[in-house]
């Protein structure tokens, strides 16, 4: 068991944490898997190969592709997999869940605007995609840590073989494109797992997206088996040497990656190769809902709404993801909103169903370590 240390012996703000956590002040241990769940994660090859993943595909769900990699405890023996780590600054490592935009539109404007939702969502995704591709072309705030070239990004995709999820089919193709370009700038080797020949042909030959590989998971017992099956197939390729990488980044195919401090993350994994680093899962809101229902503005309104978030910080309290005391409605002024690549996104840990947040404290200038 890692011993707790006296706060007086630690850097400013590091209270009631383990001595080990003083090694990485921008991150902290999470002891609640549900609290930390982000439908994505960064792990080492060692973690992947030693993790039990042979779950029966006839009863798994989408979320198990993440949860099977976690062991949410305060401290683990060195040979145990799955200690959860998250950033304290939400903007250091997050994934914006694109399909939430569509679902929030339906939830708030169902009777009046539902028929317009697909077109509105596709237009918004097209703008975000254009911003992300422009970011690559202009080399704006792109992480260049060498380990990113030794990382394989893995994403299951539900297209025509939908089987799971809540999104309109046409939107899923746009989410895939937006998600791809958000990852490709940092992690150029991306594998997608699909369940139908139509989706295989689309990703391989028609999408125009330069995937490293496309995996066809045939004859699955249920659509929600695709994420776990994709991880299983990737693991086999790691084991055989067909895939020669040192790290794996798993994500769903409708999430935009926000990543800073990649060098620090990889250093944590080098020191603790059985750990799992999980991004915060954020939910983008349509502008009409932000203005007319939430009656709020966003922190970088009037600034570069694509990239100005990169120079800001939003710090969570050091609380190890243990409880939901102090969570508040997204309507509260305590919950900040930023625009990232044109997506208006409340910041913090979220309960999407109830639209409540463990909010973070917004800082207009980026800080190296949260207090």
């Amino acid at each position: 068991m890692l011993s707790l240390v006296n706060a007086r012996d630690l850097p400013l703000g590091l209270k009631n944490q383990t001595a080990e956590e003083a090694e990485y002040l921008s991150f902290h241990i999470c002891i609640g898997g549900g609290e930390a769940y982000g439908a994505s994660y960064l792990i080492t090859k060692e973690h992947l190969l030693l993790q039990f993943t042979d779950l029966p595909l006839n009863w798994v769900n989408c979320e198990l592709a993440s949860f099977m990699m976690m062991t949410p405890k305060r401290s683990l023996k060195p040979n145990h997999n799955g200690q959860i780590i998250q950033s304290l600054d939400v903007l250091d490592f997050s994934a914006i869940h694109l399909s939430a935009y569509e679902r929030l539109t339906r939830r708030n404007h169902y009777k009046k605007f539902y028929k317009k939702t697909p077109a509105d969502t596709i237009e918004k995704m097209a703008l975000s995609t254009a911003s992300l591709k422009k970011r690559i072309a202009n080399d704006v705030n792109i992480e260049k840590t060498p380990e990113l070239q030794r990382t394989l990004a893995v994403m299951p995709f539900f297209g025509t073989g939908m089987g799971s999820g809540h999104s309109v089919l046409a939107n899923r193709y746009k989410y895939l494109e937006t998600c791809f370009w958000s990852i490709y700038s940092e992690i150029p080797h991306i594998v997608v797992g699909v369940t139908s020949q139509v989706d295989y042909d689309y990703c391989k030959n028609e999408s125009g997206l330069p995937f490293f590989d496309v995996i066809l998971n045939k004859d699955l017992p249920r659509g929600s088996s695709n994420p776990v099956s994709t991880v299983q197939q990737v693991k086999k390729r790691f084991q055989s040497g067909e895939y020669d990488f040192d790290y794996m980044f798993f994500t769903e195919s409708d999430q935009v990656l926000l990543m800073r401090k990649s060098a620090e993350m990889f250093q944590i994994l080098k020191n603790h190769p059985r750990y799992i680093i999980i991004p915060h899962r954020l939910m983008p809101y349509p502008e009409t809902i932000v203005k007319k229902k939430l009656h709020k503005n966003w922190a970088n309104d009037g600034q570069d709404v694509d990239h100005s978030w990169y120079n800001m910080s939003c710090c969570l309290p050091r609380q190890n993801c243990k409880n939901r005391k102090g969570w508040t409605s997204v309507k509260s002024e305590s919950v900040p909103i930023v625009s990232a690549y044109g997506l208006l996104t409340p910041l913090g840990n979220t309960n999407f169903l109830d639209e409540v947040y463990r909010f973070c404290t917004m800082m207009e200038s980026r800080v190296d370590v949260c207090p």
Side-chain angles (χ1 to χ4, degrees), residues 57 59-67 164 222 224-228:
L57 296 178
W59 65 264
V60 299
N61 58 23
C62 294
E63 291 75 19
L64 272 174
S66 294
F67 282 115
S164 185
R222 56 204 302 183
S224 58
S225 304
N226 188 30
V228 171

Side-chain angles (χ1 to χ4, degrees), residues 193-355:
V194 300
T195 62
S196 72
Q197 188 65 48
V198 172
D199 288 337
Y200 179 88
D201 292 338
Y202 174 78
C203 292
K204 190 81 172 178
N205 305 316
E206 301 167 21
S207 67
L209 303 175
F211 286 109
F212 177 76
D213 198 7
V214 181
I215 297 173
L216 176 57
N217 295 307
K218 295 182 178 179
D219 304 320
L220 294 180
R222 56 204 302 183
S224 58
S225 304
N226 188 30
V228 171
S229 178
T230 298
V231 171
Q232 291 173 344
Q233 293 302 316
V234 167
K235 181 177 179 178
K236 289 178 181 178
R237 289 161 171 78
F238 267 82
Q239 289 171 323
S240 69
E242 181 180 348
Y243 290 171
D244 179 21
F245 295 93
D246 299 322
Y247 304 91
M248 183 181 81
F249 174 68
F250 175 89
T251 188
E252 292 185 348
S253 57
D254 64 343
Q255 301 199 121
V256 165
L257 175 63
L258 304 182
M259 181 169 60
R260 309 183 303 199
K261 295 193 175 178
S262 59
E264 188 170 346
M265 288 192 285
F266 285 112
Q267 189 59 54
I268 291 173
L269 292 179
K270 287 177 181 179
N271 294 340
H272 307 281
R274 309 289 284 275
Y275 279 13
I276 178 172
I277 305 180
I278 300 178
H280 303 278
R281 199 179 204 198
L282 307 178
M283 308 296 170
Y285 276 64
E287 184 173 333
T288 53
I289 296 175
V290 172
K291 289 183 174 180
K292 296 182 179 180
K293 181 180 178 181
L294 305 184
H295 305 291
K296 297 175 70 171
N297 293 318
W298 42 102
N300 52 345
D301 187 14
Q303 303 178 40
D304 178 352
V305 293
D306 290 332
H307 307 298
S308 56
W309 66 269
Y310 190 87
N311 297 313
M312 309 174 90
S313 284
C314 200
C315 290
L316 290 166
R318 297 177 183 271
Q319 35 64 42
N320 298 117
C321 317
K322 289 189 294 187
N323 57 58
R324 296 192 173 186
K325 293 180 181 179
W327 285 47
T328 188
S329 168
V330 68
K331 295 180 181 180
S332 169
E333 288 300 319
S334 299
V335 181
I337 299 176
V338 298
S339 176
Y341 310 118
L343 300 167
L344 297 181
T345 308
L347 300 180
N349 299 136
T350 176
N351 176 339
F352 178 67
L353 181 62
D354 296 332
E355 295 185 64

Side-chain angles (χ1 to χ4, degrees), residues 101 105 113 116-125 171 286 288:
Y101 182 96
T105 302
F113 294 111
K116 296 183 179 180
T117 298
D120 172 74
T121 303
I122 288 173
E123 180 181 350
K124 173 58 67 174
M125 294 308 111
N171 291 348
T288 53

Side-chain angles (χ1 to χ4, degrees), residues 13 92 132 143 249 302:
D92 279 345
L132 289 161
E143 295 281 294
F249 174 68

